[in-house]
Amino acid sequence: SAVISQKPSRDICQRGTSLTIQCQVDSQVTMMFWYRQQPGQSLTLIATANQGSEATYESGFVIDKFPISRPNLTFSTLTVSNMSPEDSSIYLCSVESGGTYEQYFGPGTRLTVT
Amino acid sequence: DQQVKQNSPSLSVQEGRISILNCDYTNSMFDYFLWYKKYPAEGPTFLISISSIKDKNEDGRFTVFLNKSAKHLSLHIVPSQPGDSAVYFCAAKAGKSTFGDGTTLTVKP
């Protein structure tokens, strides 16, 4: 299993500003995933972050809006840039187990944009 | 196009009875299916999974059934307990995971 922490746990931000979310894993992992969960909706994959290479973004998500850093095998950041109220969501960091396909998730960052 | 659907947003059952949560998918390339449970203010936690080569997997009170011809899976919880009250997500993998919208289960004492 993996233990994942995220900072901040929640924040209220003004439109036009940016917020950087940190994700720390207690073990080394190759891939880290960033998800968004909008109110009442499913978990949507934003991007996959590999250490030492550019993140891979899903359709509908772009690097200019959601830049990701992956400086080492236990840490990643996601920045939500130039925020609008539509960015109000829970943002989740996740890793996949080594031997099976189950994923472990951080507690999430609840973002409200006013 | 939503490839994984949980058509029931909510389900309420009495403690001790069976809870059945359903999930439908459209992509025949999915080869692994998982259920996650999510409590408020926490991230989802893995519950149980099943490979596409099987039709049933059981773990204690939790059983997942897979009907490939119908592209349907279900999670059975027997007996249901108040602590099972949470949002349940099904997920299907073809490389990466695709999640359903979730079903909120309420187990009444």
Side-chain angles (χ1 to χ4, degrees):
Chain A
S1 65
V3 178
I4 303 174
S5 60
Q6 285 184 235
K7 290 183 190 179
S9 59
R10 59 175 60 226
D11 208 341
I12 301 174
C13 302
Q14 290 192 339
R15 69 173 66 211
T17 63
S18 298
L19 176 72
T20 295
I21 303 167
Q22 300 179 9
C23 176
Q24 180 76 52
V25 187
D26 69 342
S27 57
Q28 295 185 338
V29 293
T30 303
M31 291 191 293
M32 295 176 76
F33 306 96
W34 285 99
Y35 287 85
R36 179 175 74 182
Q37 185 188 11
Q38 294 180 306
Q41 296 189 22
S42 179
L43 285 74
T44 302
L45 182 63
I46 297 171
T48 302
N50 293 309
Q51 195 270 333
S53 64
E54 291 287 329
T56 302
Y57 289 83
E58 298 299 309
S59 176
F61 298 96
V62 294
I63 187 171
D64 289 346
K65 175 68 175 177
F66 298 100
I68 288 171
S69 78
R70 183 79 202 274
N72 57 52
L73 290 172
T74 64
F75 187 80
S76 178
T77 67
L78 170 76
T79 299
V80 186
S81 303
N82 188 24
M83 289 184 285
S84 66
E86 291 71 35
D87 294 319
S88 297
S89 292
I90 298 173
Y91 291 85
L92 295 148
C93 172
S94 175
V95 302
E96 193 171 272
S97 69
T100 62
Y101 295 122
E102 63 199 68
Q103 288 180 244
Y104 303 100
F105 289 86
T109 297
R110 182 179 291 273
L111 171 63
T112 302
V113 184
T114 61
Chain B
D1 176 34
Q2 195 168 5
Q3 298 186 55
V4 179
K5 290 185 180 180
Q6 295 175 254
N7 292 317
S8 298
S10 62
L11 174 67
S12 181
V13 300
Q14 206 68 33
E15 181 179 8
R17 306 295 291 268
I18 184 171
S19 295
I20 300 176
L21 297 96
N22 295 302
C23 181
D24 296 295
Y25 63 95
T26 57
N27 188 348
S28 58
M29 298 300 293
F30 289 139
D31 57 4
Y32 206 80
F33 304 88
L34 308 97
W35 284 95
Y36 292 86
K37 179 171 69 175
K38 185 181 185 301
Y39 292 119
E42 295 183 12
T45 56
F46 169 75
L47 195 55
I48 193 170
S49 62
I50 188 167
S51 165
S52 61
I53 63 173
K54 296 186 176 181
D55 55 18
K56 178 183 175 181
N57 188 28
E58 190 172 355
D59 184 2
R61 296 187 297 116
F62 304 90
T63 302
V64 56
F65 295 92
L66 175 62
N67 183 332
K68 284 182 63 180
S69 61
K71 294 189 174 65
H72 177 84
L73 67 155
S74 61
L75 173 68
H76 293 211
I77 306 173
V78 181
S80 301
Q81 300 173 353
D84 295 329
S85 298
V87 178
Y88 289 78
F89 291 96
C90 69
K93 283 184 67 71
K96 62 186 178 186
S97 287
T98 301
F99 288 82
D101 285 347
T103 296
T104 300
L105 173 64
T106 303
V107 180
K108 299 180 179 179

